[in-house]
Structures are given as structure tokens and as C-alpha cells.
Amino acid sequence: MAARGFTKDAPPAPTVTSCLAMSRGSGGAVAPAQRVVIFDFDQTIATTHVWQLLRGKKDPKLLGAVADCTLWGSDARLRDLQAMWGVLRRQNVGIHVVSHNWAPIVEAALRRGELLPDSVHGRETVKRKGPAVQQLLAALNVGAAQACFVDDDPSNVKDVSVSNPGIATILSPPTGLQTEHIQRLSGWASA
């Protein structure tokens, strides 16, 4: 897989918009998507708080010591996530991750699970999720009504809802997306 996340060495403090343009390699022009899903990573896609597990370190090599069952919960759950990813792709839904974890950690974990997003926005650029999602949607030229945000933290869900009126939201349990959430999201994508 070609790296589709952010350039770690981008000077000075890149924004979500500039990082998205860099990840696309498009010189700033990003093709509009019809609909997008924006996921949190820790305790949403992953079943644990990987940021805490790695004690805030941003070396992706540290993920090697983390068992798959710790990241994904089970092989069956990982297959469910991969199937949901496939549904989203077949429905031409853009997939993005906005996390308070380090982007290189999130990217490495997602590659390991064969869950390839269009972009990953980590703590290098994300301070609050509401404005970060707003900036991402503007860069993608997608209205909030055409987007769904998924996170385990109710305060992030509220922040995104307030900053992006009309966005659909799914509150994940802190053990990560479960079958009913995956089905709900797949249904939203197919609607």
C-alpha cells in the first residue's frame, strides 16, 4: 500500500486541509466525494486505547508487541471491520480517520489490519475534533449532511455535532465498534 497518511516532517504545524492535500499528492486539489465516514481510532476501530498502551510514544515499531486480539478484539471482529470497509468502498464512501493518537501509529495499525483509509489525521494536526472534522469536510467539499462521525467519546461526538450541524454520528462503546454499530454504519452507507 502506498502511504496515504500525513507527511510526518511537514513544516510548520500543518492543518488538516494541507495534510489532506499532501496525502493525495494533488497539489491541493481534492476530488469531491459523495459521502464520507470519519472514524476515531482508539476504542472505536481498535478495541483498546492504543495511545495509552504505547504510553504516548509515536514509534510504529512498538505496535509489533501489541497482539492482534488487543487491537481488534478477535479475528471475527477484524473480519467484520474489513467487510464494513468493503461496503463503504462499494458505496463510494470516503473513509477518513481523525484521532488524538499519532498518525504514524494509526496508519501502521490500520495497514496491519488491512483497513486502508483515504487519510489519517493525528494529534500532529488535531487539537479538537469538531473543527478538525469541519476542516476535513471543507477540504473534501462534502457537506455535514453527507458525513458520519464515529467515536467512543461523547464529548468528541458533541463537539463534532455542534461544529458540523447535520452530521450523522455513532457513539461507539469504549470496547470499539460492535456488530450493531457496524451494521448501522453499513446501512447508513447503503441508504
Side-chain angles (χ1 to χ4, degrees), residues 91-108:
Q91 295 297 327
N92 197 30
V93 174
I95 302 171
H96 303 272
V97 178
V98 172
S99 175
H100 286 133
N101 201 332
W102 296 105
I105 296 292
V106 174
E107 291 166 348

Side-chain angles (χ1 to χ4, degrees), residues 52-93:
Q52 290 177 351
L53 193 65
L54 299 181
R55 298 189 174 145
K57 296 178 181 161
K58 67 176 181 179
D59 182 358
K61 294 176 191 154
L62 295 172
L63 278 172
V66 178
D68 281 348
C69 64
T70 302
L71 280 176
W72 315 120
S74 68
D75 289 341
R77 183 174 176 279
L78 178 56
R79 284 191 301 274
D80 287 348
L81 289 170
Q82 291 166 337
M84 175 192 65
W85 230 259
V87 167
L88 296 173
R89 291 293 185 208
R90 284 189 299 282
Q91 295 297 327
N92 197 30
V93 174

Side-chain angles (χ1 to χ4, degrees), residues 42 57 69 72 88 104 141 160 163 177 186:
D42 292 295
K57 296 178 181 161
C69 64
W72 315 120
L88 296 173
N141 196 27
V160 168
S163 296
L177 288 168
S186 296

Side-chain angles (χ1 to χ4, degrees), residues 7-189:
T7 303
K8 295 185 273 189
D9 304 329
T15 64
V16 170
T17 305
S18 66
C19 289
L20 181 61
M22 287 187 296
S23 72
R24 296 284 194 192
S26 61
V30 178
Q34 291 183 14
R35 301 176 91 189
V36 298
V37 176
I38 303 161
F39 291 98
D40 174 43
F41 176 71
D42 292 295
Q43 296 181 291
T44 302
I45 297 172
T47 57
T48 189
H49 204 294
V50 177
W51 162 257
Q52 290 177 351
L53 193 65
L54 299 181
R55 298 189 174 145
K57 296 178 181 161
K58 67 176 181 179
D59 182 358
K61 294 176 191 154
L62 295 172
L63 278 172
V66 178
D68 281 348
C69 64
T70 302
L71 280 176
W72 315 120
S74 68
D75 289 341
R77 183 174 176 279
L78 178 56
R79 284 191 301 274
D80 287 348
L81 289 170
Q82 291 166 337
M84 175 192 65
W85 230 259
V87 167
L88 296 173
R89 291 293 185 208
R90 284 189 299 282
Q91 295 297 327
N92 197 30
V93 174
I95 302 171
H96 303 272
V97 178
V98 172
S99 175
H100 286 133
N101 201 332
W102 296 105
I105 296 292
V106 174
E107 291 166 348
L110 292 172
R111 274 192 304 275
R112 181 166 148 185
E114 298 179 12
L115 301 167
L116 309 178
D118 295 307
S119 66
V120 172
H121 310 269
R123 74 183 301 109
E124 300 87 344
T125 59
V126 175
K127 303 307 174 219
R128 281 189 35 230
K129 291 196 178 177
V133 168
Q134 185 178 47
Q135 194 175 16
L136 175 60
L137 292 176
L140 295 169
N141 196 27
V142 173
Q146 298 303 101
C148 184
F149 176 71
V150 187
D151 201 304
D152 66 293
D153 185 335
S155 65
N156 288 334
V157 171
K158 181 178 180 183
D159 185 31
V160 168
S161 293
V162 168
S163 296
N164 302 276
I167 195 168
T169 59
I170 296 176
L171 180 63
S172 169
T175 53
L177 288 168
Q178 301 301 310
T179 302
E180 66 264 21
H181 307 101
I182 291 169
Q183 290 171 346
R184 184 174 161 204
L185 189 52
S186 296
W188 174 86

